[in-house]
Amino acid sequence: MMATGTFPDRLKYSEIKPIYKKGDKTQFENYRPISLLPIFSKIFEKVLYKRLYNHLITNNILVPEQFGFRCNTSTEAAIYTLISNILSSLNTKTLVGGLFCDLQKAFDCVDHDILLSKMKFYGITGSTGRLMESYLRQRYQRVMINNNLPSWKEVQHGVPQGSVLGPLLFLIYINDLSKNVSDRSIPILFADDTSFILTRHDASELSRKANEVFNIMNKWFHSNSLVLNYNKTYFLQFQTKIIKIIHKYHTSMKILQS
């Protein structure tokens, strides 16, 4: 497989089982798709994962702002970094706010051509590059509803849900996200959960910077075929009894105060 750069076709079929979450049962968005993959596929993927992850770590490719799906990181580490930066700013009486972005079905929207170009940029080439392209291309799935199995449909976008490689491929896909605003904010990422901490001494400057970071991120998401959920994207300015919120922010963001 590694020598030929070909992933077995029979291992690229998955069955999707929709699991009800909440809300109106007639609405598709209220169901979570669970992907059932061949067990042998996951065995091969574990081998690929180890080699791919070692390449990323050895060459220091993954950005330190990413806390998701990595060894020696956790949600606790991401939360600590977030709270630590907020409290440090409040202790120095600096205005601080957080931009919290929500992406719609991020793992399902990954563009294969963009992902493959980014892997090539990060040195995943040769037989390994061909193998990863073979892994992503010509995948098929069908949805299981009441034990009825429709015909197979080719998957045009996304990383395989429920797979071993899927989360790591997504990290590669969004690895360059934080570099766009690292000089304007403090990015804190956990997989597709993206947060940005902004600090300024002036309220109008914080407002301007929040809008600037939001627009840069929105443009990046659009360029990478990811969709921002405006209804769940918020800008939250943190305050003490001394620091008050006196400015409004981008109309596409929810305005909260704590």
Side-chain angles (χ1 to χ4, degrees):
M1 186 169 62
M2 292 294 295
T4 62
T6 304
F7 195 83
D9 290 337
R10 293 295 297 270
L11 301 183
K12 294 192 289 185
Y13 287 77
S14 61
E15 294 183 341
I16 308 300
K17 186 175 182 179
I19 303 298
Y20 172 71
K21 294 188 298 181
K22 60 180 180 179
D24 187 351
K25 290 188 176 182
T26 64
Q27 300 299 316
F28 291 126
E29 60 268 19
N30 292 329
Y31 289 81
R32 184 185 306 277
I34 302 298
S35 181
L36 305 177
L37 297 167
I39 188 63
F40 284 109
S41 173
K42 295 190 176 184
I43 295 175
F44 287 132
E45 286 186 52
K46 286 184 177 181
V47 177
L48 294 175
Y49 181 98
K50 184 176 181 180
R51 296 190 179 188
L52 188 58
Y53 188 75
N54 286 340
H55 170 78
L56 297 174
I57 298 302
T58 301
N59 294 282
N60 197 30
I61 292 174
L62 296 178
V63 295
E65 295 87 1
Q66 177 59 257
F67 292 88
F69 303 119
R70 301 179 62 180
C71 296
N72 302 318
T73 64
S74 63
T75 52
E76 289 84 357
I79 293 172
Y80 174 82
T81 302
L82 180 73
I83 295 176
S84 177
N85 281 283
I86 293 171
L87 293 179
S88 295
S89 298
L90 292 177
N91 288 336
T92 59
K93 298 182 180 180
T94 303
L95 297 179
V96 56
L99 175 58
F100 303 94
C101 300
D102 182 80
L103 295 173
Q104 295 181 356
K105 304 183 183 303
F107 280 59
D108 295 326
C109 294
V110 170
D111 185 287
H112 293 163
D113 291 331
I114 295 176
L115 174 58
L116 289 169
S117 67
K118 291 187 178 186
M119 285 196 285
K120 183 178 180 180
F121 176 80
Y122 293 132
I124 304 170
T125 57
S127 60
T128 304
R130 293 193 299 272
L131 179 58
M132 296 313 303
E133 181 172 8
S134 174
Y135 173 81
L136 290 169
R137 305 288 194 192
Q138 295 180 318
R139 299 190 70 92
Y140 295 87
Q141 67 180 26
R142 60 185 180 183
V143 181
M144 299 172 58
I145 302 178
N146 297 326
N147 295 323
N148 294 321
L149 297 176
S151 59
W152 295 99
K153 301 293 183 181
E154 185 173 359
V155 180
Q156 302 292 337
H157 299 87
V159 293
Q161 295 281 3
S163 65
V164 176
L165 278 173
L168 185 59
L169 294 179
F170 186 79
L171 294 191
I172 296 173
Y173 193 74
I174 66 170
N175 192 59
D176 61 308
L177 183 152
S178 63
K179 297 179 180 179
N180 288 268
V181 291
S182 57
D183 59 334
R184 299 175 175 87
S185 65
I186 302 172
I188 302 171
L189 313 176
F190 195 93
D192 60 331
D193 292 325
T194 54
S195 307
F196 306 92
I197 299 300
L198 302 99
T199 59
R200 291 295 182 273
H201 291 285
D202 179 74
S204 61
E205 179 63 16
L206 180 63
S207 173
R208 186 190 68 81
K209 191 59 63 176
N211 282 292
E212 180 181 356
V213 171
F214 175 79
N215 289 328
I216 292 174
M217 285 296 90
N218 202 21
K219 182 178 180 180
W220 187 94
F221 291 139
H222 184 267
S223 299
N224 287 271
S225 300
L226 298 176
V227 180
L228 193 63
N229 186 344
Y230 294 110
N231 293 325
K232 295 183 179 180
T233 295
Y234 296 88
F235 181 85
L236 172 65
Q237 182 175 330
F238 302 93
Q239 69 176 63
T240 63
K241 293 182 180 180
I242 299 175
I243 302 175
K244 299 296 182 182
I245 299 175
I246 60 175
H247 241 78
K248 291 186 177 296
Y249 299 91
H250 198 286
T251 55
S252 295
M253 292 184 286
K254 301 291 183 181
I255 305 169
L256 300 176
Q257 63 186 49
S258 64

